[in-house]
Amino acid sequence: MAAAPKPSDDGALALTPPRHVAIIMDGNGRWAKERGMPRTLGHRQGVEAVRRAVRTAIELEITYLTIFSFSSENWKRPVDEVDDLMGLMKRFIRRDLAELHKAGVCIRIIGERQHVDTELMTLIDEAVELTKGNDRLTLVIAFNYGSRGEIAKAARRLAEEVAAGKLDPAAIDVGRMADALDTSGIPDPDLLIRTSGEMRLSNFLLWQTAYSEFVFLDCYWPDFDKAAFEGAIREFWSRERRFGGLTKRSTA
């Protein structure tokens, strides 16, 4: 069993990290509105919070960090806001890719390619290719992602294999289904954090979070910092994870 966090010699809390943390980054627009700013400025500050979260994940030796960057439902937002979000993704890759690569970050994207413009997809593909050999932190970006669509796509893929005579229906189990998802090869999140005070999954990692611990924070995403991240991990370690059993168990 992994050790819970203990005070270090200098009184600081030595955090044993969960292996995989997933974050629903919520509240950019409300953060901006409360300050009398346009929503676009809230999204820009949200990118700064992403940079802080990645640095903190590396510092805490978290192995996987998954962030919900753009949902498949976000296309319903005003065109100007969607265009701005796409532009922010492009600028994030162009500005941060070299630094992320130098830091040993492996970038992985989950979600659909449809509707995403060619320039952005090219940047995404280049980032994934450049960093695929890194192993310090795997940064999973859920972009144009929706969990129900992901599960339906996986089921359709398995059904096609059955129809083609390549797969026995009896062989479809939890493991085979997981392998058909976008997150194949990535361990399920131990901890899911959502900012802004909302308490729902919003079509994010519905299959993968079956036994994740959820921590909901009142702060908006632009205010999420190292202290908030560490606080969520402290809360994670206060939970008893039994996975349906009677005794506490950890996968870390």
Side-chain angles (χ1 to χ4, degrees):
M1 182 180 296
K6 299 178 180 180
S8 62
D9 293 338
D10 61 4
L13 191 62
L15 294 169
T16 301
R19 185 181 185 190
H20 183 179
V21 177
I23 305 178
I24 300 176
M25 309 179 295
D26 195 17
N28 291 342
R30 279 167 286 172
W31 181 92
K33 182 178 180 180
E34 289 185 4
R35 290 160 177 76
M37 301 175 180
R39 290 175 59 86
T40 53
L41 289 182
H43 294 312
R44 282 166 171 72
Q45 289 301 311
V47 173
E48 292 301 322
V50 170
R51 294 185 176 109
R52 290 195 298 270
V54 171
R55 287 194 295 268
T56 300
I58 292 172
E59 182 178 336
L60 296 179
E61 299 182 344
I62 292 167
T63 309
Y64 294 87
L65 176 66
T66 299
I67 57 174
F68 202 4
S69 173
F70 187 85
S71 113
S72 55
E73 286 81 27
N74 286 157
W75 294 105
K76 301 173 185 176
R77 295 187 177 187
V79 174
D80 289 348
E81 182 171 346
V82 170
D83 288 345
D84 186 69
L85 290 168
M86 295 295 161
L88 285 174
M89 183 67 166
K90 292 176 185 177
R91 287 192 289 275
F92 175 75
I93 294 173
R94 287 175 175 143
R95 172 179 166 179
D96 293 75
L97 180 56
E99 182 178 348
L100 291 170
H101 182 44
K102 183 178 180 180
V105 176
C106 172
I107 297 174
R108 181 161 170 180
I109 307 292
I110 59 173
E112 298 296 325
R113 300 174 71 94
Q114 62 188 30
H115 305 309
V116 181
D117 72 74
T118 303
E119 180 185 8
L120 179 51
M121 282 312 314
T122 298
L123 288 171
I124 288 173
D125 290 340
E126 290 174 352
V128 170
E129 179 65 24
L130 176 66
T131 64
K132 66 182 182 181
N134 296 336
D135 59 6
R136 189 173 185 185
L137 168 70
T138 297
L139 175 62
V140 184
I141 303 175
F143 184 77
N144 195 20
Y145 172 86
S147 187
R148 286 179 172 178
E150 175 196 25
I151 293 169
K153 182 176 64 176
R156 184 168 58 251
R157 182 181 301 132
L158 295 175
E160 289 170 350
E161 291 184 23
V162 170
K166 299 178 181 178
L167 178 64
D168 182 348
I172 300 176
D173 55 12
V174 170
R176 184 63 69 96
M177 185 69 179
D179 287 342
L181 296 171
D182 291 357
T183 52
S184 177
I186 298 173
D188 291 341
D190 301 292
L191 166 64
L192 181 139
I193 301 168
R194 179 167 186 158
T195 56
S196 87
E198 303 290 353
M199 298 183 183
R200 55 180 177 268
L201 287 177
S202 296
N203 200 18
F204 181 56
L205 300 180
L206 301 179
W207 174 281
Q208 297 87 342
T209 56
Y211 282 102
S212 302
E213 295 296 327
F214 296 170
V215 173
F216 299 105
L217 303 178
D218 289 331
C219 70
Y220 294 135
W221 176 246
D223 293 326
F224 186 82
D225 56 13
K226 181 181 178 181
F229 207 151
E230 291 182 338
I233 294 176
R234 289 188 185 92
E235 174 63 23
F236 167 79
W237 278 114
S238 73
R239 310 280 179 84
E240 287 194 3
R241 306 185 73 205
R242 295 185 295 273
F243 298 91
L246 297 178
T247 58
K248 184 175 180 179
R249 181 165 66 87
S250 174
T251 59

